[in-house]
Amino acid sequence: MNEAPIYSLPPISNKSSLSALLSITEEELVEISNNVEQYWKPGKPIEKSDGTTRETNDALNSLKVIHERIKNRILKKVLFPKYLHGGIADKNSPRSIYSNASQHIGSKVLICEDVKSFFPSTDALNVYHVWKYFFNFAPDIAKILTMLTTYKNELPQGWKASGYIANLIFWDSEYKVVKLMEGNNFKYTRFVDDIIVSSNRNISVDKKGLIIKSIINMLAEKGYKLKRSKHQIVTRNSQMFINGLLINSGKISIPKKERKAIRTQVFNLEQEFSINKRTEKYNNKWNSVLGKVARMSINQNAEYKNLKKRLAVIKPEK
């Protein structure tokens, strides 16, 4: 399936329709959209794989509820193509880092690219174009929705609607790149800002150039660039990672080094439990480790089940 995203509901043409859809008054719609900065608040920092943290965004409840309704009542009505895997709820075709990695199992070559500063680079104009040209909403409706879903001319990472909007930024060009890739026997997937192209046969220098050039051109049309430090071309002779998951063995697995680190973190929590079990710091640590153990669920082996049980025993107390 290499079609573009599809939205088949009637376009929204006036404020009364939008306010009714979002279950708020027109006065609330205008007031909140004109004063989004007053409803912004910082989100919880995310620990990155390199040990640094990524700052995220949150919103006060009045705006957060609107974001939830925009997501559920508009964005989730989009039919997303199978090459998109990040932050999409789809019961019929579940999307995740695992579905993304599974598309490339058995490959001889991986080309991995990363969009530089993807969320900060997604400005209000790009978001406006999604609302106006993809959804075909009236210009004033597209403007209001842009104001509601951007902050300081950026798409805020952490807001409830942002992941879906991120998947629609290249709605009018990405499917063309996918068709080009498939026509050359390559597989293409994107997990938000991570782009993976793979082949089950060796790739010539000319073909590699074609792949990279087509991705660069797609990004440049919208004002994005590749993060050159993340550019990788990996063969089966080396470890092939996609979103931190190994695919060399013919199945998805967690690297031994990561599994060892997770075991150590569970052990450290067990030592802290009796002393810190009611503290916020312990609660945050426990939730962080729980997420890391959940990554091991892909194999559902004895090690994962054991760690899950151990975490249940030392669950934070309120």
Side-chain angles (χ1 to χ4, degrees):
M1 180 178 180
N2 54 19
E3 294 85 359
I6 297 170
Y7 181 75
S8 56
L9 296 180
I12 301 171
S13 58
N14 54 67
K15 291 179 185 177
S16 61
S17 297
L18 179 59
S19 60
L21 181 66
L22 300 179
S23 301
I24 57 175
T25 66
E26 286 190 49
E27 291 75 15
E28 289 173 315
L29 179 66
V30 172
E31 193 278 327
I32 294 175
S33 63
N34 284 330
N35 298 283
V36 164
E37 67 281 353
Q38 296 180 17
Y39 296 90
W40 175 90
K41 68 177 184 178
K44 292 182 178 179
I46 296 175
E47 182 182 348
K48 297 165 69 174
S49 57
D50 60 4
T52 61
T53 56
R54 177 187 291 119
E55 299 301 321
T56 65
N57 303 268
D58 202 349
L60 298 179
N61 195 58
S62 298
L63 181 57
K64 187 181 289 189
V65 168
I66 291 174
H67 288 160
E68 185 74 19
R69 291 169 183 166
I70 290 173
K71 181 183 77 173
N72 291 332
R73 301 176 187 183
I74 302 177
L75 295 166
K76 279 191 174 182
K77 305 301 181 183
V78 174
L79 179 62
F80 289 92
K82 298 290 179 64
Y83 54 79
L84 295 173
H85 291 265
I88 298 170
D90 186 342
K91 292 181 180 179
N92 297 323
S93 178
R95 319 293 176 95
S96 67
I97 58 172
Y98 306 110
S99 66
N100 188 38
S102 68
Q103 296 299 306
H104 304 281
I105 289 175
S107 300
K108 284 189 174 182
V109 183
L110 288 181
I111 297 179
C112 308
E113 302 290 357
D114 186 278
V115 184
K116 184 178 181 180
S117 303
F118 182 67
F119 282 91
S121 297
T122 305
D123 60 18
L125 182 60
N126 271 324
V127 175
Y128 175 80
H129 283 173
V130 169
W131 293 120
K132 185 175 187 297
Y133 297 110
F134 173 72
F135 287 98
N136 200 29
F137 292 165
D140 59 333
I141 300 305
K143 182 178 179 181
I144 290 172
L145 285 167
T146 300
M147 294 164 68
L148 288 169
T149 54
T150 58
Y151 174 71
K152 291 187 175 179
N153 198 35
E154 294 180 7
L155 181 66
Q157 187 168 9
W159 279 9
K160 290 180 177 292
S162 293
Y164 281 88
I165 294 171
N167 282 309
L168 292 171
I169 291 297
F170 306 111
W171 68 273
D172 56 345
S173 56
E174 192 166 29
Y175 75 97
K176 299 174 186 176
V177 174
V178 175
K179 286 184 177 180
L180 175 66
M181 299 299 168
E182 291 182 350
N184 285 277
N185 297 310
F186 305 135
K187 288 183 180 178
Y188 172 105
T189 63
R190 178 164 67 90
F191 190 93
V192 189
D193 57 352
D194 292 321
I195 296 172
I196 307 293
V197 179
S198 67
S199 174
N200 58 8
R201 61 185 73 173
N202 292 324
I203 304 176
S204 68
V205 173
D206 288 343
K207 292 291 186 181
K208 288 174 185 176
L210 172 69
I211 292 168
I212 296 169
K213 184 179 179 181
S214 63
I215 293 172
I216 288 174
N217 289 343
M218 178 187 78
L219 299 181
E221 285 178 6
K222 308 285 186 178
Y224 299 88
K225 296 180 180 179
L226 288 177
K227 190 172 184 178
R228 282 304 182 184
S229 62
K230 291 289 188 76
H231 167 75
Q232 283 187 317
I233 299 178
V234 187
T235 65
R236 193 180 290 174
N237 296 328
S238 304
Q239 288 188 316
M240 304 177 86
F241 285 102
I242 299 176
N243 302 125
L245 302 171
L246 272 172
I247 64 167
N248 291 71
S249 64
K251 62 181 182 180
I252 300 170
S253 62
I254 307 293
K256 288 182 179 180
K257 184 178 179 180
E258 183 179 345
R259 297 203 308 270
K260 182 180 179 180
I262 293 171
R263 290 195 300 269
T264 299
Q265 290 175 41
V266 172
F267 174 79
N268 290 340
L269 282 176
E270 289 171 330
Q271 307 312 301
E272 287 188 46
F273 178 68
S274 61
I275 302 171
N276 299 324
K277 59 187 176 184
R278 291 187 177 91
T279 66
E280 183 179 358
K281 185 177 181 181
Y282 179 82
N283 181 73
N284 292 338
K285 280 185 180 180
W286 187 89
N287 280 307
S288 175
V289 176
L290 177 66
K292 293 173 182 178
V293 170
R295 278 173 58 83
M296 299 172 67
S297 65
I298 188 65
N299 299 123
Q300 290 289 335
N301 55 20
E303 182 180 35
Y304 160 70
K305 293 174 182 177
N306 176 52
L307 292 175
K308 187 179 177 183
K309 286 180 181 178
R310 287 167 62 184
L311 277 182
V313 172
I314 58 170
K315 188 174 181 178
E317 295 181 5
K318 294 184 179 180

